[in-house]
Amino acid sequence: MFETAELGRKVPKADYKKQVPLLREELLVIQQDLRKADFPVILVFAGVDGAGKGEIVNLLSEWMDPRWLVTHAYTKPSQEEAERPEYWRYWRDLPPKGRIGIFLSSWYSTPVLDRVNNHISIPEFDEKLDRIIAFEKALADDGALILKFWMHLGKSEQKKRLNSLEKDPEKKWRVTETDWHHWRLYNDFVAGAEQAIMRTSTGAAPWDIIEGGDLRYSSLAVAKAVLKSVQKHLQKRKKVKEVVAQMKAAVGPGQMTAGEEAEPTEDYWNKPVPRPGMPTIISTLKMDQILSKEDYLSKLNRYQAKLNYLHRESWKHKVSSLIVLEGWDAGGKGGAVRRSIAALDARRYQVIPFAAPTDEERAHHYLWRFWRHQGRAGRVTFFDRSWYGRVLVERVEGFARDDEWMRAFAEINDFEAQLVEHGIVLCKFWLNITPEEQLERFKSRQEIAYKRWKLTEEDWRNRDKWADYEIAVNDMVERTSTSRAPWTLVEGNDKRFARIKVLKTLCERMEKALKTLKKK
Amino acid sequence: MFETAELGRKVPKADYKKQVPLLREELLVIQQDLRKADFPVILVFAGVDGAGKGEIVNLLSEWMDPRWLVTHAYTKPSQEEAERPEYWRYWRDLPPKGRIGIFLSSWYSTPVLDRVNNHISIPEFDEKLDRIIAFEKALADDGALILKFWMHLGKSEQKKRLNSLEKDPEKKWRVTETDWHHWRLYNDFVAGAEQAIMRTSTGAAPWDIIEGGDLRYSSLAVAKAVLKSVQKHLQKRKKVKEVVAQMKAAVGPGQMTAGEEAEPTEDYWNKPVPRPGMPTIISTLKMDQILSKEDYLSKLNRYQAKLNYLHRESWKHKVSSLIVLEGWDAGGKGGAVRRSIAALDARRYQVIPFAAPTDEERAHHYLWRFWRHQGRAGRVTFFDRSWYGRVLVERVEGFARDDEWMRAFAEINDFEAQLVEHGIVLCKFWLNITPEEQLERFKSRQEIAYKRWKLTEEDWRNRDKWADYEIAVNDMVERTSTSRAPWTLVEGNDKRFARIKVLKTLCERMEKALKTLKKK
């Protein structure tokens, strides 16, 4: 795989000096075009130590306008980073639309080094590569341009390079004992790298292997690749827009659904089949379950005390919980949250409502705002609505295109898998009520002063689409209720029954997680 | 001071049960009004251990809608927090407009405990209290409603309380050895607290001393105080708006300057006197200084090598630098940044451009967005434009009211003092050019494709206000060039001269900081 990057390619100084000013100009122009574009650019640099990753990134940063460009390098996770899932720090650093983010020693570093040092097995390695593929696919599907450069150097070349760096008093700081350690592992490293490159070189995020022996050659090669790819991507996005505009003009206003604007992707064929009139998972719920007041109060007391204890244990063992609440309008999300927080210490929980995204959030992948709200260790976080908005309201109302909400199922499963693997107790509740019960609740909201704000025009409109929502909920449960992150469907016509079911489930899940932890 | 909080006030259970539901309703209503308001609510809870801080906060959180409320408690700073100035974490957690933030063991905790344990002297304690006053004043001036509750308990009461908590298996976890340690220091603690309360009980952010012996009494007292204060504050803000609207209607559109909308504050009398036609600090600059190409290249080489070395040393010693660039349009900020970053490792610097704030930023104090971009230890950060926008463009264009930009001088000095005290090397550059030179540069920008984007209609318009800007710059230097955070005025008609002056100054400041550090 790397033979073509050991050919000794060089660029003469005179050539280089002629090419650089022109290239810089083009890079500056493209950066300005990019600022208005609807996608970010993600450049990943990895490779053999001494192959010039750092130098090339420095040059690129110098050539381009540093204001719309930012470089991120990673070492050992900080305490705050270690308290969240591994990818939290990468999500945190993703550039918004219109900007370039350069990632050094990024998400590739740990898997490859862990494999080379035999800390993980081959299947574990493959699993980590799958995570990378899913991560990059999610970003690329959202429009991001991802370019990955593998800086290569032959084994003897690497030795020469490290030696020469060490001799230069200005540069010897770049060479550390780790670099020499890596050099001794060269063959293993290259084998691991080859596997990583093979597996993760997807159409959406291809690798480019760059010969790193001559900085003039490699920097020009990288800069030109960046330039061409950005130009191409800008044109592609423009083309798509034009075609959509033409189609719209042809069919007249309001005749196209949002879904038709998208290019069909493989997900398209994967679209759930609408089944109007067919039973859904919701129709199987026994909605007449109730709890007497007496029974309720005694259970409330019991589970609140239990939850209080479990939360203190979780705090001690740094186990976080994330409770996702979805449900029909007036389904009782708020009431369930209140009964739960009554048992918790206010310093250690947080309730986060999700409505319209802010403009910073809009400039990122839709999952970004849920990643950014991942709390530190030992906390309980309630999400009042969540990433499931993508496959519920955004699907039904057409705010997301078909291909967008369809691929969301896989993105969500991958996201949740990361939360669960990190040890977070993830509880997902669907608070279900019948349309009749909802109507009753809407009416009573209109009558109570401090509840009136809860009722909007939109709530009334949403009732008309009950059947569509029901299908969306059914598909959501079908596709995202996994054994590690199951949905709990709550029969919510009786508020007392619903609240106890939520509390009880939460207790069970936390208890199980703590038991598993203590067994280890 | 605390005698009135040792009276043994209690609320009978029956009374309490009658009052709570009504109070809760009112709190929910007020929270909804608040959501549309243009200010945040900051509730601080401090006081004697065992006086029920935690319990009251839990109750409040349960009574109110947890979605528009968040509680923050602080212990030892995390690694990421410790790498920034002390107040970074408090700024980070400030609630946006329309929300309530509850702060437990907040900015009062460290100063009071440090004083009680004799880790700091009385003057040092006073200095820390001054910092608190300035912090709260800045927030209150910006509209925030700040309420501070001191939960009190007599010495013997405290002992009783701790004992009884320890006996309750559900609550004994609340009592730690630290609590008993504090109890033994009771007299010192109360003396320190008294001093803190006296000094920091300002009109903008008053303390309320609450007797903590009976949770029913104290929770009702706090909840009512919150309710009344929010109601009053809402009315006050509404009134101000109405008066302004009436005045506007009376004088006709466009007749009022932004400044007149504000209530005059003490800052008003502190307004700099405009001196049209008088010499300003800018007019004293020797704008004809130049550097030959040869001289420039040799100095560029020298200072870049030096800067590279200094940055590596800074990285090693975890010294951060923050470089603020302000100046006329086309003044050469970008060029100066480029020549500096060419010497730096892209993984360890960042260039942050500040243009219009995002909507999240707009929902906070104007300094919030500069706090949030404080980098981790050892980094070099360039701010392309900065918090000085408040006293430059916002002043001249009338985007900020007179009282807003006038008090900004003090706010900025306090902010910068915190950066410098934390050990950050703060360099502020004003890149000065003459109007003639600017015109030349504008013309040449129009001719070069990749520079054309830099030139906007606004740039041309700004030229008309040159004299106003010059006065604003003069006032800015007069009021914010301190010995620890001096302005460097750069004679920028000759780009070569300017770039070397920036590089040289940066090197000198970093060198000095490292020397001081090594001496310690």
Side-chain angles (χ1 to χ4, degrees):
Chain A
M1 174 177 276
F2 299 113
E3 299 81 354
T4 58
E6 296 181 9
L7 300 173
R9 278 175 285 203
K10 284 188 198 308
V11 171
K13 199 168 182 178
D15 257 26
Y16 181 76
K17 284 206 151 182
K18 214 160 59 187
Q19 289 194 49
V20 168
L22 299 168
L23 199 54
R24 288 183 67 165
E25 231 185 270
E26 287 194 277
L27 284 169
L28 289 172
V29 171
I30 209 81
Q31 254 188 305
Q32 289 313 314
D33 293 341
L34 190 58
R35 279 179 66 195
K36 289 159 258 151
D38 65 343
F39 63 89
V41 176
I42 294 164
L43 307 179
V44 174
F45 285 85
V48 170
D49 292 321
K53 293 190 293 281
E55 287 93 333
I56 285 189
V57 168
N58 283 339
L59 265 180
L60 269 188
S61 309
E62 202 188 317
W63 289 349
M64 289 199 264
D65 193 321
R67 286 173 295 180
W68 326 115
L69 178 85
V70 63
T71 302
H72 298 284
Y74 301 89
T75 51
K76 218 170 97 16
S78 75
Q79 179 190 331
E80 295 212 8
E81 289 168 347
E83 289 185 16
R84 276 98 168 186
E86 188 191 345
Y87 274 61
W88 182 74
R89 58 178 179 166
Y90 306 129
W91 276 92
R92 175 159 79 150
D93 289 343
L94 286 175
K97 288 167 185 173
R99 305 241 179 157
I100 301 174
I102 296 182
F103 293 85
L104 257 153
S105 347
S106 66
W107 40 93
Y108 284 93
S109 176
T110 318
V112 171
L113 290 178
D114 277 356
R115 179 65 206 123
V116 172
N117 291 305
N118 238 324
H119 298 153
I120 54 174
S121 65
I122 289 178
E124 282 170 335
F125 184 43
D126 282 339
E127 223 167 67
K128 284 183 186 287
L129 296 180
D130 283 343
R131 167 120 320 140
I132 291 178
I133 294 169
F135 174 54
E136 293 178 349
K137 180 178 185 303
L139 301 178
D141 281 344
D142 193 45
L145 172 63
I146 306 177
L147 300 172
K148 302 183 291 194
F149 297 98
W150 185 270
M151 311 305 298
H152 186 73
L153 216 54
K155 188 170 182 182
S156 59
E157 268 295 307
Q158 191 189 15
K159 187 176 183 183
K160 249 195 270 173
R161 188 71 187 277
L162 292 175
N163 277 329
S164 94
L165 280 174
E166 275 193 336
K167 270 180 213 146
D168 186 338
E170 287 282 298
K171 289 178 182 162
K172 68 166 187 246
W173 61 277
R174 286 190 181 271
V175 184
T176 63
E177 185 35 44
T178 316
D179 293 324
W180 283 114
H181 174 67
H182 289 171
W183 179 78
R184 286 186 290 271
L185 291 168
Y186 185 92
N187 293 339
D188 294 338
F189 183 72
V190 165
E194 195 173 75
Q195 175 70 358
I197 291 175
M198 249 165 32
R199 287 282 308 271
T200 62
S201 209
T202 59
W207 277 103
D208 205 345
I209 300 175
I210 304 279
E211 180 164 355
D214 176 52
L215 185 60
R216 288 197 292 266
Y217 167 75
S218 56
S219 60
L220 286 184
V222 168
K224 283 180 189 172
V226 170
L227 185 66
K228 292 297 161 215
S229 302
V230 175
Q231 281 168 340
K232 227 175 100 186
H233 207 69
L234 280 164
Q235 276 163 11
K236 183 183 153 195
R237 306 285 300 185
K238 205 176 139 200
K239 194 85 202 161
V240 169
K241 267 192 196 163
E242 281 171 9
V243 170
V244 170
Q246 284 167 10
M247 283 171 65
K248 269 194 176 161
V251 294
Q255 292 301 303
M256 265 179 71
T257 72
E260 287 170 84
E261 296 187 15
E263 304 163 277
T265 65
E266 75 243 52
D267 296 311
Y268 190 78
W269 312 110
N270 207 12
K271 188 173 176 176
V273 183
R275 284 140 302 193
M278 295 291 281
T280 67
I281 186 86
I282 284 179
S283 61
T284 67
L285 295 176
K286 283 190 193 144
M287 293 304 294
D288 55 355
Q289 296 181 81
I290 57 165
L291 214 56
S292 72
K293 188 163 184 187
E294 200 184 346
D295 210 5
Y296 169 68
L297 287 175
S298 102
K299 284 187 169 153
L300 186 66
N301 255 330
R302 192 188 338 146
Y303 286 117
Q304 283 186 339
K306 193 165 183 181
L307 183 59
N308 180 277
Y309 165 78
L310 289 168
H311 186 204
R312 277 181 281 131
E313 285 294 294
S314 304
W315 178 256
K316 207 162 43 178
H317 293 94
K318 297 201 166 275
V319 174
S320 302
S321 303
L322 179 54
I323 296 105
V324 169
L325 291 136
E326 293 283 353
W328 300 106
D329 294 325
K333 295 193 300 291
V337 170
R338 266 150 194 276
R339 276 16 169 239
S340 306
I341 60 171
L344 303 175
D345 186 325
R347 286 168 290 185
R348 293 166 189 173
Y349 74 77
Q350 207 174 332
V351 182
I352 304 177
F354 288 97
T358 67
D359 53 9
E360 289 181 43
E361 291 169 343
R362 239 184 281 269
H364 287 91
H365 191 277
Y366 82 95
L367 281 176
W368 186 78
R369 64 180 181 142
F370 306 105
W371 271 102
R372 78 192 289 215
H373 284 294
Q374 293 304 313
R376 294 184 54 190
R379 269 76 168 179
V380 178
T381 311
F382 296 86
F383 276 14
D384 185 334
R385 306 224 181 262
S386 69
W387 49 89
Y388 283 102
R390 192 72 161 187
V391 296
L392 295 173
V393 56
E394 290 187 47
R395 167 183 175 178
V396 173
E397 305 293 338
F399 301 149
R401 297 188 315 256
D402 282 359
D403 63 317
E404 286 176 331
W405 66 258
M406 280 187 278
R407 68 171 177 261
F409 294 119
E411 290 170 359
I412 286 171
N413 283 333
D414 187 66
F415 172 44
E416 294 183 354
Q418 294 187 59
L419 302 180
V420 172
E421 277 168 33
H422 186 68
I424 295 168
V425 181
L426 177 62
C427 300
K428 309 186 290 190
F429 294 102
W430 174 261
L431 292 179
N432 198 62
I433 49 173
T434 55
E436 300 74 31
E437 175 65 22
Q438 190 189 49
L439 191 61
E440 286 306 308
R441 293 190 186 178
F442 279 8
K443 281 182 186 162
S444 86
R445 279 187 177 182
Q446 280 180 317
E447 280 152 30
I448 303 173
Y450 67 94
K451 285 192 172 171
R452 210 166 291 145
W453 67 272
K454 286 188 175 185
L455 200 61
T456 63
E457 273 304 304
E458 214 184 308
D459 292 329
W460 289 107
R461 272 200 306 276
N462 288 345
R463 279 177 62 80
D464 298 337
K465 298 188 178 150
W466 195 280
D468 295 337
Y469 275 103
E470 202 170 314
I471 290 171
V473 172
N474 186 78
D475 293 341
M476 172 182 84
V477 173
E478 180 181 309
R479 284 154 189 259
T480 64
S481 200
T482 60
S483 57
R484 299 171 76 184
W487 272 100
T488 303
L489 305 179
V490 181
E491 301 81 354
N493 273 4
D494 179 55
K495 285 183 184 178
R496 294 195 286 252
F497 179 86
R499 286 166 190 171
I500 295 299
K501 183 160 181 180
V502 168
L503 261 171
K504 186 167 171 259
T505 309
L506 182 51
C507 285
E508 285 167 356
R509 299 291 307 282
M510 284 172 81
E511 197 165 26
K512 199 176 143 201
L514 284 164
K515 261 190 202 148
T516 316
L517 194 77
K518 285 172 188 169
K519 257 189 229 152
K520 277 182 194 164
Chain B
M1 173 175 278
F2 299 112
E3 298 82 352
T4 57
E6 297 181 8
L7 300 173
R9 279 175 285 205
K10 284 188 197 312
V11 171
K13 199 167 179 179
D15 259 27
Y16 180 77
K17 283 206 153 183
K18 214 161 56 190
Q19 290 194 49
V20 167
L22 300 168
L23 199 55
R24 286 182 67 166
E25 229 184 274
E26 288 195 276
L27 284 169
L28 289 173
V29 171
I30 209 79
Q31 255 188 305
Q32 289 313 314
D33 293 342
L34 191 58
R35 278 179 68 196
K36 288 159 256 151
D38 64 342
F39 63 89
V41 176
I42 294 165
L43 306 178
V44 174
F45 287 84
V48 170
D49 291 321
K53 295 189 294 280
E55 287 92 334
I56 286 192
V57 167
N58 282 340
L59 266 179
L60 269 187
S61 311
E62 203 188 316
W63 289 348
M64 290 199 265
D65 192 321
R67 286 173 295 180
W68 327 114
L69 178 85
V70 63
T71 302
H72 298 284
Y74 301 90
T75 51
K76 218 169 97 13
S78 74
Q79 178 191 332
E80 294 212 8
E81 288 168 347
E83 289 185 15
R84 276 95 168 188
E86 188 190 345
Y87 275 59
W88 181 74
R89 56 176 179 168
Y90 306 130
W91 276 93
R92 176 160 77 148
D93 288 342
L94 286 175
K97 289 167 185 173
R99 306 242 178 156
I100 301 175
I102 295 182
F103 293 85
L104 258 153
S105 349
S106 67
W107 40 94
Y108 285 93
S109 176
T110 318
V112 171
L113 289 178
D114 277 354
R115 178 67 205 120
V116 172
N117 290 306
N118 238 325
H119 296 155
I120 54 173
S121 65
I122 289 177
E124 283 170 334
F125 184 41
D126 283 340
E127 223 168 66
K128 284 182 187 290
L129 296 180
D130 284 342
R131 166 121 319 140
I132 291 178
I133 294 169
F135 174 54
E136 293 177 350
K137 181 179 185 302
L139 300 178
D141 282 345
D142 193 46
L145 171 64
I146 306 176
L147 299 172
K148 301 182 292 193
F149 298 98
W150 185 269
M151 311 305 299
H152 186 73
L153 216 53
K155 189 171 180 180
S156 57
E157 269 294 309
Q158 191 188 13
K159 189 178 180 181
K160 250 194 271 171
R161 188 70 188 276
L162 292 176
N163 277 328
S164 95
L165 280 175
E166 275 191 337
K167 271 179 215 144
D168 185 339
E170 286 283 300
K171 287 179 182 161
K172 69 166 189 247
W173 61 278
R174 287 191 181 271
V175 183
T176 62
E177 184 35 43
T178 317
D179 294 324
W180 284 113
H181 174 69
H182 289 170
W183 179 78
R184 286 186 290 271
L185 291 169
Y186 186 92
N187 293 338
D188 294 338
F189 182 71
V190 166
E194 195 173 75
Q195 174 70 358
I197 291 174
M198 251 166 32
R199 287 282 308 272
T200 61
S201 209
T202 59
W207 277 103
D208 206 344
I209 299 176
I210 304 281
E211 181 164 354
D214 175 51
L215 185 60
R216 288 197 291 265
Y217 166 76
S218 57
S219 59
L220 287 184
V222 167
K224 283 180 188 171
V226 170
L227 185 65
K228 292 297 161 218
S229 302
V230 174
Q231 280 168 340
K232 227 174 99 185
H233 207 69
L234 280 165
Q235 276 162 12
K236 184 182 151 194
R237 305 284 300 184
K238 204 178 140 200
K239 193 88 202 156
V240 169
K241 266 191 197 163
E242 282 170 10
V243 170
V244 170
Q246 284 166 10
M247 283 172 66
K248 268 195 177 161
V251 294
Q255 292 299 303
M256 267 179 68
T257 73
E260 288 168 83
E261 297 186 16
E263 304 163 279
T265 64
E266 74 241 56
D267 295 312
Y268 188 80
W269 314 110
N270 206 12
K271 187 174 175 176
V273 183
R275 285 141 302 196
M278 296 289 282
T280 66
I281 185 86
I282 283 179
S283 62
T284 67
L285 295 176
K286 284 191 191 145
M287 293 302 294
D288 55 355
Q289 296 180 81
I290 56 165
L291 212 58
S292 72
K293 187 164 183 185
E294 200 184 348
D295 211 4
Y296 169 69
L297 288 176
S298 104
K299 282 183 171 157
L300 186 67
N301 254 327
R302 195 194 329 152
Y303 286 117
Q304 283 186 339
K306 194 166 183 179
L307 183 60
N308 181 278
Y309 166 77
L310 289 167
H311 186 205
R312 276 180 283 134
E313 284 294 295
S314 304
W315 178 255
K316 205 161 44 178
H317 293 94
K318 297 202 165 276
V319 174
S320 302
S321 304
L322 179 54
I323 296 104
V324 169
L325 291 136
E326 292 283 355
W328 300 105
D329 294 326
K333 295 194 300 293
V337 170
R338 266 148 194 277
R339 271 34 169 223
S340 305
I341 59 170
L344 304 175
D345 187 325
R347 286 169 290 187
R348 294 165 188 173
Y349 74 77
Q350 208 175 332
V351 181
I352 304 177
F354 288 97
T358 66
D359 53 7
E360 290 180 44
E361 291 169 343
R362 241 184 281 268
H364 286 91
H365 190 279
Y366 81 94
L367 281 177
W368 186 79
R369 64 180 182 142
F370 304 106
W371 271 103
R372 80 192 287 216
H373 283 295
Q374 292 303 314
R376 295 186 55 190
R379 269 75 168 182
V380 178
T381 311
F382 295 85
F383 275 15
D384 185 332
R385 307 226 181 262
S386 69
W387 48 89
Y388 283 102
R390 192 73 162 185
V391 296
L392 295 173
V393 58
E394 290 188 45
R395 168 183 177 178
V396 174
E397 306 292 340
F399 301 149
R401 297 188 315 255
D402 282 0
D403 63 316
E404 286 177 332
W405 64 258
M406 279 187 280
R407 67 170 179 262
F409 294 120
E411 290 170 358
I412 287 172
N413 283 333
D414 187 66
F415 172 45
E416 293 183 354
Q418 294 187 59
L419 302 180
V420 172
E421 278 167 33
H422 186 68
I424 295 168
V425 181
L426 177 62
C427 300
K428 307 185 290 190
F429 293 102
W430 173 261
L431 291 179
N432 197 62
I433 50 172
T434 55
E436 300 74 31
E437 176 66 22
Q438 190 189 50
L439 190 62
E440 285 305 310
R441 292 190 186 178
F442 278 9
K443 282 183 185 160
S444 87
R445 279 187 177 183
Q446 281 180 315
E447 280 152 29
I448 302 173
Y450 67 94
K451 285 192 172 170
R452 210 167 289 146
W453 66 272
K454 288 190 173 184
L455 201 61
T456 63
E457 272 305 304
E458 213 184 308
D459 292 330
W460 289 106
R461 274 201 306 276
N462 288 346
R463 279 177 63 80
D464 297 338
K465 297 186 178 154
W466 196 279
D468 295 336
Y469 273 104
E470 200 169 315
I471 290 172
V473 172
N474 186 78
D475 292 341
M476 170 183 86
V477 173
E478 182 181 308
R479 283 153 188 260
T480 63
S481 199
T482 61
S483 58
R484 297 171 77 184
W487 273 101
T488 304
L489 305 178
V490 181
E491 300 83 352
N493 273 4
D494 180 56
K495 286 182 181 177
R496 293 195 287 251
F497 180 86
R499 286 166 190 172
I500 295 301
K501 186 163 178 176
V502 168
L503 261 173
K504 186 168 172 258
T505 309
L506 182 52
C507 284
E508 285 167 358
R509 299 289 309 281
M510 285 173 80
E511 197 166 27
K512 201 176 142 198
L514 285 164
K515 260 190 201 146
T516 317
L517 193 78
K518 285 173 189 169
K519 254 189 230 152
K520 278 184 193 165

